[in-house]
Amino acid sequence: MGLGGLASNIQKPQAYLKHIWPQAPRERVHVLGFTQMNWVKYLRPYSCDSSSWEGGARYGTFPLYMGHGRMKVLGREDFAARPDRA
C-alpha cells in the first residue's frame, strides 16, 4: 500500500498520517514524499522516499542515512578527498 501526495498536496502531512495510519496495513506501507526522520521512526513504515536527495545539487549538502535511525549530513567538502569506507 502506498500513501502519497504528502510532499505537495497536503498542507499538514503529519496530521494526515496520524489520522490515516491506524487504518493502514502495517506490514507493507510505503510513504511517498515524506522523510521527516522523527516521524519515520514513530510510524516505522516499510519504506519511504522523497526528492530531498536532490538537495545535494541544490544546496551543497545532503543527509545520508547511516542505519539504525542515524543520519549524517555531508557536504561538498566531504568529497574533496576520498570518503572513508563507513
Side-chain angles (χ1 to χ4, degrees):
M1 173 181 189
L3 296 175
L6 299 171
S8 60
N9 297 333
I10 298 173
Q11 289 183 339
K12 297 186 179 185
Q14 298 88 345
Y16 171 75
L17 284 170
K18 194 171 186 180
H19 172 75
I20 199 75
W21 198 255
Q23 303 168 42
R26 296 247 182 0
E27 62 274 358
R28 293 281 184 183
V29 176
H30 176 80
V31 181
L32 295 101
F34 189 81
T35 54
Q36 292 180 12
M37 186 54 72
N38 57 339
W39 278 86
V40 172
K41 286 180 182 179
Y42 173 72
L43 297 173
R44 300 181 61 88
Y46 179 74
S47 59
C48 61
D49 64 20
S50 75
S51 64
S52 61
W53 64 271
E54 295 175 333
R58 282 186 268 176
Y59 308 113
T61 63
F62 66 95
L64 177 65
Y65 183 68
M66 301 297 289
H68 305 288
R70 294 176 296 121
M71 301 292 284
K72 179 177 182 178
V73 177
L74 297 174
R76 289 184 180 114
E77 63 278 357
D78 293 309
F79 295 94
R82 185 181 184 110
D84 64 19
R85 296 196 53 88

